[in-house]
Amino acid sequence: EWENPALDLASSFTGRLDESTRGTLGKLVRSRTGNRERIGETDRESMFDADDAVVHNWPGVHDGRPLQRAWDLMNAVAEGMPRHEFERELFGLCAQQFGWAREMLEHPVSIAGVHVHTLDAAGHAYADDEAALGRAYDRVGEYVEEIVAALGEDDDLLVVSDHGMRAAFYPPDAGEKPASHSWRAYASSTTETAPESVYDVRRWVEERAAESGASASGGDEGIDMPTDRLRELGYLD
Ligand SMILES: [Zn+2]
């Protein structure tokens, strides 16, 4: 979406062009007009509309600006930004997103969803450098492990991707363009099952959320309120 109605109209026609043509057109418009697109947000109902569900940086649903920042970093590193700077910024975003997810475990929420763009950006930047891409996967893996270690008894974690990345050094990608998207999507969970397809994700999540019964509506069971102590300190009348 663009702030400018003419650009908005034009972009409704360019949606069928391939990704790199749209990227080039977008860049041209940005540099010529100073307008910056933003990631639109849908009005459609989603699993994050459920009671006590929370969502963070989920493109199309909540605040897509960190995704745009990751895209900008990806372009900047292709144009010569030093790798240490790229990684510092990219993992800074990554840390905020995993940190948010980690914090949500301390609150009575039913579903918490967060989008992390690190591996797509690293996959574009390091499609010809196995060691560098490996380090990015390891770092994201450490964040995932921290979440798993912090899960409560009734909590489950689902990690899904909407696509994979083609790499120059990965034998099944021979003859394909490195740094492009593959159709190898990924799903893994802390339960016995994982969604079979993207169309199955919502049902899968909602079933598990219902089973665990996690909800804030039962009151403040998640917060132990030492009222006498608070009164002593003068925070309560
Ligand atoms: Zn990508």
Side-chain angles (χ1 to χ4, degrees), residues 19 71 74 117 120-121 124 163-165 179-181:
E19 200 177 332
W71 284 338
M74 216 161 77
H117 208 69
D120 182 73
H124 285 287
H163 63 77
M165 293 303 302
S180 61
H181 294 168

Side-chain angles (χ1 to χ4, degrees), residues 42-53:
T42 182
D43 301 329
R44 298 277 299 261
E45 192 251 341
S46 80
M47 64 183 177
F48 302 119
D49 294 320
D51 283 347
D52 307 314

Side-chain angles (χ1 to χ4, degrees), residues 212-230:
S212 84
S215 158
S217 43
D220 283 334
E221 73 275 7
I223 302 166
D224 181 19
M225 194 76 91
T227 43
D228 289 346
R229 181 82 187 113
L230 290 172

